[in-house]
Amino acid sequence: MTEIHGTCPDRLGAVKDAFAANFTEAPEGLNEQAARFSVCRDGEIVVDLRAGWADAANAVPFAADTLVPVFSTGKAVMATLIATCVERGLLDYDRPVSTYWREFGQAGKHDVTVGQLMSHQAGLPGFADPVEPAIWFDRRAVLDRLCAQAPMWPPGSASGYHPITIGYLAGELFRRVDGRSMGTALRQDFPGLDLWIGLPEREHGRVAQMRKPSSAPDLGTIDAVKRAAFLDKGSAPGGRGSAEWRMAEIPSANLHARADDLARFLAVIATGRIGGREVLSSGTLEALRRERITGPDRVVPFDMSWGAGLMRNRTLGVFGPNPEAVGHSGWGGSCGWADPATGVSGAYVMTRQSPHLIGDPRAVRLIDALYAAL
């Protein structure tokens, strides 16, 4: 039996049962190596469960301070940081990105709005021409190429998930209006949270080892857009080693987090507040969460309803029963979500990755058990 640590009130015992089942009878045989599931209600932790081993040799317990790379789940943090700029009047979702960043407006992108960029409508899911994977460690080179590149479809006509590029684009937009990088702002504006966009080398010893998926995700019919986003040699960072990847600031792809602090952060999206402090007003929350576009996505094989950087539950049904819940999934199965109807926010992190792009069955089992017990 895997020993489970943490807290879960008796009235939510079904959540603990589901968590235990993920170690012994997980859907599709995806039995956990290590995992953590944390839930806040109105900003207060009500469930925080963890179990397993932080290393592949089963020698290092998965501890309360173990960090996990959550990959694209970090896009929910990225979207919230952009929303803080909207809150402060530094950005407007309805104004063109080129208003704040002139160079972005090249090659037919002059009228792409901030809201369209954040909802994956800009047509820049990857590089149109071949690049080496090491380019991602040169922020300026990435941005220069993306600014000069023409959209791969008419902006605003469809969404097409931007796996890596959106982090560089949103990160630069944030930097232009705020003056700081997103990683710096996350540390300074949300002190005390163990969340990192760009992980200092001194913290690397706390990071759990990941077990890669046994198969590739199903992307549907492959075309040039999907190849640029996911399959081309240079579609993701590589060639520099894990230490340099962890230290880079890639808001779309390399957030390192504890599940409990990620759940606390996502309370901002559910309630507008964190630790009793208002971060986002009701107007900014509505603008962040509301539907920007819906329909078949050009990159991921789902009908997507996108907010300003958030996956909306209306077409997915993976973040509980409320269609107005929002969140984001990450490579291998992690996820985070926020539900304004109930004030619930939560996060699931794990070390054994699956090929599911959205809606890993282990996370869905936990979320469904939570809502059934609430």
Side-chain angles (χ1 to χ4, degrees):
M1 290 291 292
T2 299
E3 186 175 0
I4 296 174
H5 303 273
T7 60
C8 183
D10 290 343
R11 64 188 177 85
L12 300 178
V15 179
K16 189 173 183 179
D17 292 341
F19 188 77
N22 276 350
F23 284 84
T24 57
E25 53 186 67
E28 302 179 21
L30 292 170
N31 302 87
E32 303 282 19
Q33 179 183 353
R36 190 170 186 176
F37 183 61
S38 303
V39 180
C40 284
R41 191 160 198 181
D42 297 324
E44 298 295 326
I45 290 285
V46 294
V47 172
D48 184 24
L49 298 170
R50 71 180 192 279
W53 302 94
D55 66 328
N58 290 358
V60 180
F62 192 98
D65 68 344
T66 297
L67 293 170
V68 179
V70 298
F71 302 98
S72 288
T73 296
K75 288 183 174 73
V77 174
M78 177 188 75
T80 306
L81 291 173
I82 288 291
T84 65
C85 291
V86 175
E87 178 71 22
R88 290 176 285 157
L90 301 176
L91 289 175
D92 185 327
Y93 286 123
D94 296 324
R95 296 190 71 182
V97 174
S98 59
T99 303
Y100 312 100
W101 177 11
R102 180 178 56 81
E103 295 87 348
F104 178 83
Q106 301 175 62
K109 303 189 297 296
H110 184 269
D111 295 326
V112 174
T113 67
V114 174
Q116 288 174 328
L117 174 69
M118 295 305 298
S119 54
H120 301 271
Q121 299 183 62
L124 300 172
F127 295 114
D129 298 319
V131 297
E132 291 298 317
I135 191 176
W136 298 100
F137 296 96
D138 184 342
R139 182 179 63 88
R140 188 74 264 157
V142 170
L143 294 173
D144 287 347
R145 273 186 173 264
L146 292 176
C147 284
Q149 183 171 307
M152 299 183 77
W153 63 85
S157 65
S159 71
Y161 180 54
H162 294 37
I164 310 292
T165 56
I166 187 63
Y168 289 81
L169 297 168
E172 180 66 11
L173 183 59
F174 184 94
R175 191 188 304 263
R176 295 263 171 158
V177 299
D178 178 273
R180 300 171 293 172
S181 71
M182 281 189 167
T184 298
L186 181 60
R187 293 191 302 274
Q188 293 179 348
D189 297 349
F190 298 90
L193 294 184
D194 210 356
L195 306 175
W196 304 83
I197 300 172
L199 186 68
E201 192 168 12
R202 66 178 183 275
E203 307 289 347
H204 290 193
R206 295 197 289 133
V207 178
Q209 291 180 263
M210 306 300 286
R211 183 175 297 174
K212 292 183 178 181
S214 58
S215 60
D218 179 11
L219 294 173
T221 303
I222 302 301
D223 59 13
V225 171
K226 294 182 181 183
R227 282 195 296 272
F230 276 118
L231 302 175
D232 286 347
K233 178 184 176 183
S235 62
R240 294 289 183 87
S242 61
E244 191 163 346
W245 175 78
R246 295 191 198 288
M247 289 187 287
E249 290 197 18
I250 310 175
S252 52
N254 75 342
L255 180 77
H256 287 69
R258 281 173 25 189
D260 58 335
D261 280 347
L262 184 53
R264 290 184 178 98
F265 181 93
L266 295 177
V268 172
I269 303 175
T271 68
R273 307 179 69 82
I274 188 169
R277 170 174 66 97
E278 183 176 89
V279 177
L280 300 178
S281 64
S282 59
T284 302
L285 284 172
E286 191 280 331
L288 169 63
R289 298 186 304 223
R290 75 170 175 84
E291 187 172 85
R292 300 277 166 176
I293 192 167
T294 187
D297 193 84
R298 294 289 305 268
V299 173
V300 291
F302 298 93
D303 279 351
M304 298 296 297
S305 172
W306 285 106
L310 300 171
M311 297 175 174
R312 302 181 74 251
N313 201 38
R314 186 174 70 80
T315 59
L316 297 172
V318 298
F319 301 131
N322 179 16
E324 295 306 309
V326 294
H328 217 288
S329 296
W331 180 55
S334 67
C335 74
W337 87 99
D339 181 354
T342 59
V344 165
S345 58
Y348 166 74
V349 305
M350 74 302 127
T351 59
R352 180 169 183 174
Q353 296 181 293
S354 82
H356 295 276
L357 290 167
I358 298 172
D360 184 291
R362 298 167 297 179
V364 171
R365 167 188 264 177
L366 291 166
I367 295 169
D368 288 349
L370 170 72
Y371 278 95
L374 284 175

